[in-house]
Amino acid sequence: MKDYTLFTSESVTEGHPDKVADQISDAILDAILAQDQNARVACEVMLASNTAIIAGEITTTASVNVEKIAREVICNIGYDEETGFDGKTVEIKNLLNKQSTDIAMGVDTGGAGDQGMMFGFACAETPDFMPAPIYYAQNLARQLAKVRKTGILPYLRPDGKCQVTVKYDGHIPVEITTVLISTQHAETVTQEQIKADLIEHVIMPVLKPSGLINDNLTIYTNPTGRFVIGGPVGDTGLTGRKIIVDTYGGMGRHGGGAFSGKDPSKVDRSAAYMMRYIAKNLVAAGICERVEIEVAYAIGKAEPLSVSVDTFGTEKIDNAAILKLINKHFDLTPKGIIDYLGLKKAQYIETASYGHFGRSDLKVRWEETDMAETLKREVAEIAKKV
């Protein structure tokens, strides 16, 4: 008998309280970058009941109305008077300050905006080079929002979660065994109707084309039996609390730093994007089928303290040679990353829900595979010399 393993990942909808906070933070960031590409932004949001607290450190020449931005984000997601969290009436407290001059000293000279380590991951499991569990969980969450917003299932409300369990044979996904969807809903609808509608309009359209489901698929919907109270009325929302949802669903390590609300001088964001870009190009080049890259920085220093590669035994050349390719072709200083990936432009609000990676629906630089052919040619040359 084969030794199968199970792995589960979760995604959440744009109406999840933490994701609402992320979207407000990134909407404020985008509005500032649209006027001032050199701004320093660290914007945090907390949501509770019908209150939004916006705090953090921002140094910029831009002039933006953060209250107006927050209200627009909340309304666009779909929160209104009926949900108890209303973009039109929410109380907004603005506690923003300027960035510390102690931090600015190091960043102004091209150094990293903080210390820490960041990871990038890619694998050949899905068309977007993402692990299957998070790939399908994110797609389910997007579909859940779509059927709500288009009126296919008008009784749905913005808050929701999707969870997918995949059976693996080694590193190969062979079956989706379990799907769990919890979705906020109007009080008038029955759980039986919700389950039937989610199967027809959300689960099957997303998962059937995968070829990974069969009659043994276990489906759970709203396991508590009720999800009427949702959003910030039911659960406090905080920027940066969904870091695993934002990345690889737990498949691959995480340095601990969140993304949303941070300008690209913060390597928590920019270096994680660069590691994803490099990892994706390595897999797209056929150099390995699975790879995780770690980089570490010291605050105020430009050059990384370390770079490491793990290909989980799937490499075509040894990891030392892969590391040489990385050092040769990619500038890993904060400025080099920002310039190479074009990170100073307003582009972040769309990444604040449904993941920052595997986003073929967005034209973000870190998801391109334009270096794959170059890397493939280099490996071919290395092979000739062996």
Side-chain angles (χ1 to χ4, degrees), residues 272-339:
Y273 287 176
M274 190 63 163
M275 295 307 103
R276 163 62 179 175
Y277 173 77
I278 297 171
K280 187 173 182 179
N281 276 272
L282 287 171
V283 177
I287 295 171
C288 50
E289 295 179 10
R290 190 180 195 85
V291 64
E292 180 181 78
I293 308 172
E294 184 204 29
V295 66
Y297 292 90
I299 188 168
K301 302 296 182 182
E303 294 295 335
L305 301 181
S306 66
V307 183
S308 66
V309 175
D310 186 352
T311 50
F312 307 94
T314 68
E315 69 278 0
K316 302 298 189 295
I317 59 174
D318 64 51
N319 286 352
I322 294 174
L323 194 55
K324 286 182 180 179
L325 287 178
I326 293 173
N327 290 327
K328 176 181 178 180
H329 290 284
F330 303 100
D331 183 349
L332 300 185
T333 65
K335 184 181 185 305
I337 292 171
I338 290 167
D339 292 345

Side-chain angles (χ1 to χ4, degrees), residues 146-182:
K146 179 180 178 181
V147 298
R148 172 179 63 86
K149 288 188 162 185
T150 57
I152 294 173
L153 301 180
Y155 58 79
L156 294 182
R157 299 295 177 260
D159 198 356
K161 293 183 175 185
C162 301
Q163 193 166 287
V164 175
T165 301
V166 175
K167 180 190 289 186
Y168 279 85
D169 180 1
H171 293 314
I172 301 173
V174 294
E175 182 185 349
I176 296 172
T177 64
T178 308
V179 172
L180 165 59
I181 298 180
S182 295

Side-chain angles (χ1 to χ4, degrees), residues 54-378:
I54 303 173
E57 298 76 44
I58 297 178
T59 301
T60 182
T61 60
S63 177
V64 300
N65 187 333
V66 297
E67 180 175 322
K68 182 174 182 289
I69 292 168
R71 293 189 187 282
E72 287 177 350
V73 169
I74 295 166
C75 290
N76 288 340
I77 291 170
Y79 280 112
D80 53 23
E81 184 178 6
E82 181 187 355
T83 65
F85 179 64
D86 186 359
K88 295 179 181 178
T89 64
V90 59
E91 179 184 3
I92 297 178
K93 299 180 180 180
N94 185 344
L95 304 179
L96 291 167
N97 292 302
K98 288 187 176 181
Q99 184 185 59
S100 161
T101 55
D102 292 348
I103 296 175
M105 286 171 56
V107 182
D108 289 345
T109 58
D114 203 351
Q115 68 182 50
M117 63 283 188
M118 301 85 213
F119 291 88
F121 185 87
C123 60
E125 295 177 23
T126 62
D128 288 335
F129 298 90
M130 291 290 284
I134 189 65
Y135 174 82
Y136 291 111
Q138 300 281 27
N139 285 339
L140 286 172
R142 272 194 288 266
Q143 182 70 5
L144 187 60
K146 179 180 178 181
V147 298
R148 172 179 63 86
K149 288 188 162 185
T150 57
I152 294 173
L153 301 180
Y155 58 79
L156 294 182
R157 299 295 177 260
D159 198 356
K161 293 183 175 185
C162 301
Q163 193 166 287
V164 175
T165 301
V166 175
K167 180 190 289 186
Y168 279 85
D169 180 1
H171 293 314
I172 301 173
V174 294
E175 182 185 349
I176 296 172
T177 64
T178 308
V179 172
L180 165 59
I181 298 180
S182 295
T183 180
Q184 187 184 11
H185 57 85
E187 194 159 8
T188 53
V189 67
T190 66
Q191 295 302 319
E192 290 75 19
Q193 181 181 348
I194 292 172
K195 183 169 186 175
D197 286 345
L198 291 181
I199 291 172
E200 179 181 356
H201 296 289
V202 178
I203 296 172
M204 289 304 153
V206 171
L207 298 187
K208 194 170 183 181
S210 72
L212 295 175
I213 62 171
N214 54 45
D215 293 340
N216 295 322
L217 177 66
T218 299
I219 297 173
Y220 296 102
T221 60
N222 289 350
T224 68
R226 177 183 168 91
F227 191 176
V228 173
I229 300 171
V233 173
D235 188 15
T236 300
L238 294 171
T239 299
R241 197 159 59 174
K242 284 290 176 284
I243 59 176
I244 300 304
V245 171
D246 283 344
T247 53
Y248 309 103
M251 182 137 352
R253 287 170 287 189
H254 197 295
F259 301 154
S260 290
K262 296 179 180 178
D263 76 85
S265 73
K266 280 75 173 174
V267 284
D268 279 342
R269 181 169 219 160
S270 54
Y273 287 176
M274 190 63 163
M275 295 307 103
R276 163 62 179 175
Y277 173 77
I278 297 171
K280 187 173 182 179
N281 276 272
L282 287 171
V283 177
I287 295 171
C288 50
E289 295 179 10
R290 190 180 195 85
V291 64
E292 180 181 78
I293 308 172
E294 184 204 29
V295 66
Y297 292 90
I299 188 168
K301 302 296 182 182
E303 294 295 335
L305 301 181
S306 66
V307 183
S308 66
V309 175
D310 186 352
T311 50
F312 307 94
T314 68
E315 69 278 0
K316 302 298 189 295
I317 59 174
D318 64 51
N319 286 352
I322 294 174
L323 194 55
K324 286 182 180 179
L325 287 178
I326 293 173
N327 290 327
K328 176 181 178 180
H329 290 284
F330 303 100
D331 183 349
L332 300 185
T333 65
K335 184 181 185 305
I337 292 171
I338 290 167
D339 292 345
Y340 190 86
L341 296 183
L343 297 180
K344 285 190 174 183
K345 63 183 179 181
Q347 58 186 322
Y348 298 109
I349 179 63
E350 296 296 331
T351 68
S353 51
Y354 312 115
H356 294 247
F357 306 132
R359 298 300 301 271
S360 56
D361 58 317
L362 304 180
K363 300 302 179 184
V364 290
R365 180 78 174 90
W366 59 89
E367 285 298 310
E368 294 179 5
T369 54
D370 53 312
M371 277 297 292
E373 286 302 318
T374 298
L375 294 172
K376 189 184 295 185
R377 285 194 299 270
E378 285 242 12

